[in-house]
Amino acid sequence: MAEIQTGGTHSPLPPQPQLFQLEPIDVAEPWQHELIECFISFSTLAAGKSQTELHETLQQKASESMHSHGELVNGLVYGILTVPAEGNTYLRHLNIVSRDGFAHAISRLKLLATAHRFARVRPEVRSQLFWLLSELVKVSAHGVDQVVLALTRQVRSGDVTQGNVKLCWLMVRFAQANYAWLSTFPVLVATMVYMLGRLALDHSRVPDLRAAECELAVQLLREQFHECCMIGRDLVRMLQDVARIPEFHDLWQDILQQPQSLSPLFAGIEQLLRTPTPPMFLANRITYEMESRLRFILENLPATSYSRNLMWFVQRYLSTPESESLFSDLIRYIIGVFHPSNAVLASNVVPRYVFLGGLLRFIRSPVVAANAKLALFYDWLFYDPKSDTIMNIEPGVLIIAQSVDKYTFMTASFIEFLAYESDAYSPELAPAIRGSIGLAMHNAVEKGVIPSIMPIYKHPRIEVDIRQNLYYLFPQLVPPVPEPAPSEASADDAEPAKDDDAMLLDPTDMLPPTAINSELVPEPPKPAVELPLPIAAPQPARTVSAAPKTSIALDPVSRMFQEEFGITDFDLAPEGPADSINTNGISDTTEEDGAPEDVVLVASAEPLPEISVEHALEDTSLWLFGSTLQTFVDSIAAAEPDVKQIGGSVKEIVDMFAQSEASILAITRVLASIFSDSLDMEDVETNAELTAAGESSDGLEHDLLHYILIAAADYTHTTDMTNSTRRVLQLLVQLTEAKVDVGFRWLLHSVVNAGKPVQYARYVDQYAEGTLQAALVRDLGVLQEQFPGLFYTVLPQIYAAFPDAFPGCRGIVKSAIALIDQPQVYRLSALIARGQLQLFGHRQAAIVAIIGMTLESDAFEQVCFWQLLNAEVGGDEARVAGSKSKQR
């Protein structure tokens, strides 16, 4: 027995090995402490004894009581897992002392297999775990299958790190080595198939592992297909994703064309699609740690404060390109597994559909977005009230209904997706799918999920094409769309019906979903692999537009959090007298206690009503543009817009506008209307990934707004304030007032990209009332809400450009701590310590006012705030004493 040094004396006890790779500050679970203590006791008992003596001692102690038996088993299991060199010896001892068919030993292994920290289990412990399970399989120990089931959940989807890849290999090799044993457990067989099929998508760069996974999955499916059918419709969803992998291709064709070759009881793919997937399979692709994080948010956090936790969750589990496949698994889990209790539904805890909206906004790939929407509405396609639950339908119903007022583009996108999938998912089953979708919505209305879908149908922002799709899907719930008279074809665009307001949903009834990325709204592509079934008989004609057309700004997430949670644009103190622009751009107005007020920006004109592009082009002041504007609009509406042509047209339009007397309001109406119809291109100013990669903006596919900013910059880089410069800046202001997100984009373009802060300052000067500080509060607030990572990256650059605007500004401080996490606290504290950032300033009244503002924040924000305050004023006795006296 090895000895260790302890305080200058020799101890016969071996060192205490660990199951997990823990940091010094980490606390081991109580059961791990118990295993360690039992292992030490066993080592003490075994010290100095021969094999014969040890066997007799172990037999005697194991027979004393079940407690003594459990202690011996605990110590031996711990030794097997953590001392591989003695694994065989400890296993022989375990065979001698076990009195319960290894039930207690297996219960210890299950604790490890379900541990939230399993990702931090030492590599040698993982290897020993699978070796021990194989040995227990050889002696037919009962319960090993439950441990393996738990381990399948620990193999993370979307994770191609070395540790997870090795875990995949261990799982595959264990299944191959114990294939006969595995085949005797139907649930384990089905779970293994579902796990392997989902993992195969992630391992394209590990061809040997993917080949082994596919071979094993196909073998299980062909030999145990009847058992695999218990997975239900998500088996089809999984197979569609992998059907193009050669190993799966023949199997997929047999399922479609020769179903009984797989099992005489298998009638065809419709049998699978009509079978709801049990929750245990949907939960399998979410690790125990992920599940605990999700449930904490969905069971405890109110809708007004879950965003930080969601952002942490996304950064932790969904931050890599490979992890995108996990989005659909998370959505399926939230819909099919987590069904909140009545107490949660009646509380202010964040609803599932709000959380799903917040999750969807982090999706960047159109393919991932289409798969996410399919995961959201998959149960609609084959809904049957006798076998399906309304709780699987509820999130989709609410996200459609509650988005229509503020995020009409989202509602339109989902309706078109359902209409498209009703015909395209499986042409042979199209009538049945359409009937299931209608039945799902009818059942939702009948059970009171929503009172009616008429508010959606009659909403003034819902286009005729979307209404036709609604009637196509739900003919029993909405009337047919009347054919408009030629003279009244655009009546809905000009003025909504007066009695529509009575039918609209009250937006305060339920919170709307959080921001969803604008990349989710193009027409969804066909499924990854279409069901190649025969086309059914011709169906009634319907209209499906190329893309949803709504009257929402291009970047509808810009003010989503403020509108959703009742926060004003600038998050400022109570109203006070406004200041005009001063030399430094900082307000000199003070309250009675001397604390500076944040001043609201006031535009020089009223906000513009939303009208169609066609109506906007009829303004007579735009005739001097000739056909340029109409050609520009047509190029945008093209099926495949020519990006370079669009950029050239924008430059030409801005030049003509700057050098003419065309109405600013008229050209603003045209551009704002174009934005409302959306252009789905790259958002250059906010694309932190491209900037970090060092990509040149000249070679990127820019969005329309970026071209406008580039054209405007040509008129603002000089020191002279010409009439053309003033007109271009006023155009930017008017676009901002028309709810087009120009402000924070112009800030990024001027300060970060061009390095010319004067361009932004001149833009602010065009407001009738307000200060540079107020503009920064507004634009930094929007940037922080939409792109928090980029916000913290550019904050020191913006401070360097406008150092006088930051100190003592409550709005900027609140933006800085709104969604901050601990690494950002450290980073900002370091910037403050180096003098590269100042948030609080030297005015005691301002510091006291900021402290008072943060008293309404949650506990974590207050902790972060005090850390930042300490970094700036800590050690400055005069400032600290002054703040205390002001508080008194």
Side-chain angles (χ1 to χ4, degrees):
M1 217 33 102
E3 295 183 348
I4 59 171
Q5 285 294 123
T6 306
T9 63
H10 290 281
S11 170
L13 297 181
Q16 298 179 6
Q18 299 290 315
L19 294 172
F20 300 91
Q21 294 174 324
L22 300 179
E23 300 295 334
I25 63 173
D26 292 327
V27 178
E29 287 84 353
W31 61 268
Q32 185 181 355
H33 283 300
E34 181 185 358
L35 293 183
I36 294 174
E37 293 170 359
C38 292
F39 180 69
I40 294 173
S41 298
F42 166 78
S43 301
T44 303
L45 183 68
K49 291 184 174 63
S50 65
Q51 288 293 324
T52 302
E53 293 174 336
L54 180 58
H55 285 180
E56 291 177 355
T57 303
L58 293 177
Q59 290 276 20
Q60 181 180 359
K61 188 170 180 61
S63 302
E64 289 178 357
S65 66
M66 290 306 296
H67 178 72
S68 299
H69 169 265
E71 288 183 341
L72 282 177
V73 172
N74 286 345
L76 290 169
V77 168
Y78 194 86
I80 293 171
L81 294 175
T82 56
V83 189
E86 300 292 332
N88 283 306
T89 301
Y90 291 146
L91 181 59
R92 286 198 301 271
H93 296 333
L94 184 61
N95 276 309
I96 291 172
V97 303
S98 180
R99 299 288 189 273
D100 57 0
F102 301 97
H104 187 76
I106 290 173
S107 70
R108 302 302 93 183
L109 297 181
K110 193 169 183 180
L111 279 177
L112 178 62
T114 57
H116 291 178
R117 288 176 172 172
F118 189 86
R120 298 167 67 179
V121 170
R122 295 177 181 275
E124 61 272 18
V125 174
R126 292 186 183 186
S127 300
Q128 284 297 105
L129 173 60
F130 280 94
W131 174 80
L132 177 56
L133 290 174
S134 294
E135 295 300 317
L136 292 174
V137 167
K138 293 177 183 178
V139 298
S140 302
H142 179 71
V144 178
D145 59 308
Q146 296 301 313
V147 180
V148 179
L149 271 175
L151 287 172
T152 60
R153 290 192 63 176
Q154 301 289 10
V155 185
R156 292 171 54 175
S157 296
D159 184 352
V160 291
T161 58
Q162 185 178 9
N164 197 63
V165 169
K166 287 184 177 179
L167 181 59
C168 294
W169 270 119
L170 288 171
M171 183 64 70
V172 170
R173 287 167 179 161
F174 172 84
Q176 291 172 336
N178 301 279
Y179 185 83
W181 169 85
L182 173 66
S183 300
T184 62
F185 296 94
V187 173
L188 184 56
V189 167
T191 303
M192 193 71 69
V193 166
Y194 188 69
M195 178 199 72
L196 293 172
R198 296 300 297 166
L199 291 175
L201 292 173
D202 305 328
H203 297 151
S204 58
R205 297 183 182 180
V206 193
D208 293 342
L209 176 57
R210 172 184 268 195
E213 290 169 339
C214 294
E215 180 182 355
L216 178 58
V218 171
Q219 182 181 2
L220 288 170
L221 279 166
R222 286 196 176 277
E223 297 178 5
Q224 308 281 335
F225 190 81
H226 181 66
E227 287 76 7
C228 295
C229 285
M230 72 172 71
I231 300 174
R233 62 179 64 118
D234 276 83
L235 175 61
V236 179
R237 189 174 65 90
M238 180 271 286
L239 290 173
Q240 280 184 286
D241 291 337
V242 298
R244 291 181 180 176
I245 299 176
E247 291 85 347
F248 280 98
H249 181 267
D250 292 341
L251 173 68
W252 179 242
Q253 293 303 316
D254 287 343
I255 291 175
L256 295 175
Q257 300 172 10
Q258 304 177 47
Q260 293 194 340
S261 66
L262 298 171
S263 170
L265 301 177
F266 181 46
I269 198 168
E270 187 175 1
Q271 176 183 334
L272 286 174
L273 294 173
R274 291 294 178 187
T275 305
T277 300
M280 62 180 175
F281 296 111
L282 299 178
N284 181 262
R285 292 297 77 232
I286 308 298
T287 66
Y288 293 100
E289 183 185 36
M290 290 184 197
E291 183 177 40
S292 67
R293 310 295 186 193
L294 279 176
R295 285 188 172 272
F296 174 79
I297 297 174
L298 294 169
E299 292 177 350
N300 298 281
L301 298 184
T304 54
S305 60
Y306 82 99
S307 300
R308 180 189 292 108
N309 297 73
L310 173 60
M311 183 171 300
W312 179 92
F313 185 91
V314 170
Q315 291 173 350
R316 179 78 175 257
Y317 302 113
L318 300 166
S319 58
T320 63
E322 294 83 5
S323 63
E324 289 183 331
S325 62
L326 192 56
F327 275 102
S328 58
D329 291 327
L330 286 169
I331 292 171
R332 294 298 293 156
Y333 173 87
I334 293 170
I335 287 176
V337 180
F338 178 76
H339 293 165
S341 64
N342 290 334
V344 172
L345 291 173
S347 67
N348 66 340
V349 173
V350 56
R352 289 189 297 168
Y353 80 94
V354 173
F355 182 86
L356 287 171
L359 183 66
L360 290 172
R361 75 184 179 95
F362 290 97
I363 297 177
R364 294 295 180 184
S365 166
V367 174
V368 177
N371 288 335
K373 285 193 278 190
L374 181 61
L376 179 62
F377 294 106
Y378 198 48
D379 293 308
W380 290 51
L381 306 184
F382 313 100
Y383 180 76
D384 183 352
K386 296 179 181 179
S387 56
D388 288 275
T389 171
I390 192 65
M391 294 300 288
N392 293 355
I393 305 300
E394 179 230 36
V397 173
L398 291 177
I399 208 169
I400 289 175
Q402 300 298 331
S403 303
V404 68
D405 285 324
K406 295 181 180 178
Y407 320 120
T408 317
F409 79 99
M410 224 168 66
T411 297
S413 172
F414 289 144
I415 292 172
E416 286 220 337
F417 177 80
L418 284 171
Y420 174 81
E421 290 296 327
S422 69
D423 289 339
Y425 188 78
S426 175
E428 187 178 73
L429 302 176
I433 291 175
R434 192 161 58 252
S436 295
I437 294 174
L439 183 59
M441 181 64 79
H442 184 274
N443 203 20
V445 173
E446 187 178 46
K447 291 182 180 293
V449 177
I450 58 173
S452 170
I453 65 169
M454 285 302 294
I456 305 173
Y457 181 82
K458 300 185 68 175
H459 198 281
R461 289 183 175 179
I462 292 295
E463 298 288 339
V464 173
D465 292 341
I466 305 302
R467 290 175 182 163
Q468 290 174 338
N469 286 333
L470 281 171
Y471 177 68
Y472 182 73
L473 293 171
F474 316 118
Q476 296 180 346
L477 299 176
V478 297
V481 181
E483 292 293 334
S487 60
E488 299 176 355
S490 302
D492 287 343
D493 293 332
E495 182 180 0
K498 294 182 179 180
D499 60 347
D500 282 348
D501 293 339
M503 300 296 298
L504 299 183
L505 290 176
D506 184 357
T508 62
D509 287 345
M510 295 190 71
L511 287 172
T514 52
I516 291 186
N517 188 285
S518 59
E519 293 184 42
L520 291 175
V521 301
E523 178 180 293
K526 295 181 179 180
V529 180
E530 273 194 276
L531 299 176
L533 301 177
I535 298 177
Q539 301 297 321
R542 68 179 181 91
T543 303
V544 179
S545 59
K549 294 185 178 181
T550 61
S551 300
I552 295 296
L554 177 65
D555 297 316
V557 298
S558 61
R559 305 181 191 277
M560 187 166 290
F561 286 103
Q562 289 128 318
E563 294 176 355
E564 183 173 334
F565 303 133
I567 303 173
T568 61
D569 276 345
F570 317 113
D571 195 17
L572 304 179
E575 296 182 2
D579 250 6
S580 59
I581 303 293
N582 57 47
T583 305
N584 296 322
I586 308 300
S587 171
D588 294 325
T589 305
T590 60
E591 298 175 357
E592 294 181 1
D593 63 355
E597 282 190 359
D598 297 323
V599 182
V600 176
L601 290 175
V602 178
S604 56
E606 294 294 326
L608 298 175
E610 295 178 357
I611 61 175
S612 66
V613 177
E614 291 75 13
H615 286 176
L617 288 173
E618 293 175 359
D619 194 293
T620 56
S621 66
L622 301 180
W623 290 355
L624 59 91
F625 286 89
S627 62
T628 303
L629 286 175
Q630 186 61 56
T631 302
F632 173 58
V633 173
D634 294 340
S635 66
I636 292 174
E640 297 182 359
D642 187 329
V643 178
K644 293 184 178 180
Q645 179 184 351
I646 291 175
S649 299
V650 169
K651 172 67 175 173
E652 182 181 358
I653 291 170
V654 172
D655 288 342
M656 294 176 65
F657 166 77
Q659 298 168 18
S660 69
E661 297 299 325
S663 168
I664 296 177
L665 297 181
I667 193 65
T668 301
R669 286 192 181 96
V670 173
L671 295 177
S673 300
I674 292 173
F675 280 122
S676 71
D677 287 341
S678 84
L679 241 193
D680 187 30
M681 300 185 187
E682 193 66 49
D683 188 352
V684 177
E685 277 71 37
T686 56
N687 198 325
E689 291 79 11
L690 293 173
T691 304
E695 297 283 353
S696 170
S697 61
D698 294 335
L700 299 175
E701 186 181 66
H702 304 323
D703 64 347
L704 178 57
L705 184 53
H706 178 75
Y707 281 121
I708 291 179
L709 300 184
I710 289 293
D714 291 341
Y715 290 90
T716 58
H717 69 279
T718 61
T719 57
D720 298 331
M721 178 60 79
T722 64
N723 183 61
S724 296
T725 300
R726 185 176 293 104
R727 285 174 57 79
V728 170
L729 291 173
Q730 289 174 353
L731 174 61
L732 297 182
V733 170
Q734 288 300 321
L735 285 173
T736 304
E737 294 306 308
K739 297 187 181 299
V740 178
D741 278 330
V742 170
F744 83 94
R745 296 277 299 274
W746 183 245
L747 174 64
L748 292 174
H749 182 85
S750 303
V751 177
V752 180
N753 294 354
K756 296 179 180 179
V758 67
Q759 294 180 343
Y760 182 75
R762 287 182 174 179
Y763 158 78
V764 177
D765 288 341
Q766 303 308 307
Y767 281 87
E769 296 177 355
T771 66
L772 176 62
Q773 189 180 70
L776 287 171
V777 169
R778 179 198 64 189
D779 295 332
L780 286 175
V782 176
L783 174 61
Q784 182 268 341
E785 290 162 0
Q786 293 192 40
F787 306 96
L790 184 58
F791 168 82
Y792 292 110
T793 300
V794 303
L795 193 63
Q797 294 175 264
I798 296 175
Y799 168 76
F802 307 110
D804 296 330
F806 274 60
C809 180
R810 283 166 286 180
I812 293 178
V813 171
K814 190 159 188 179
S815 293
I817 66 173
L819 288 177
I820 199 169
D821 53 21
Q822 202 60 46
Q824 296 295 358
V825 173
Y826 295 148
R827 182 173 182 273
L828 294 187
S829 298
L831 291 171
I832 291 172
R834 293 196 298 264
Q836 297 176 350
L837 180 65
Q838 188 178 20
L839 295 175
F840 304 100
H842 294 272
R843 299 180 64 182
Q844 306 302 332
I847 296 176
V848 172
I850 293 173
I851 293 174
M853 173 196 70
T854 60
L855 294 179
E856 299 179 358
S857 303
D858 61 36
F860 182 79
E861 288 181 2
Q862 292 191 44
V863 170
C864 296
F865 164 77
W866 284 105
Q867 289 177 327
L868 295 176
L869 182 63
N870 180 63
E872 184 167 327
V873 308
D876 190 337
E877 296 182 3
R879 294 169 72 184
V880 174
S883 299
K884 290 182 178 179
S885 64
K886 283 285 185 181
Q887 285 180 304
R888 295 192 188 99

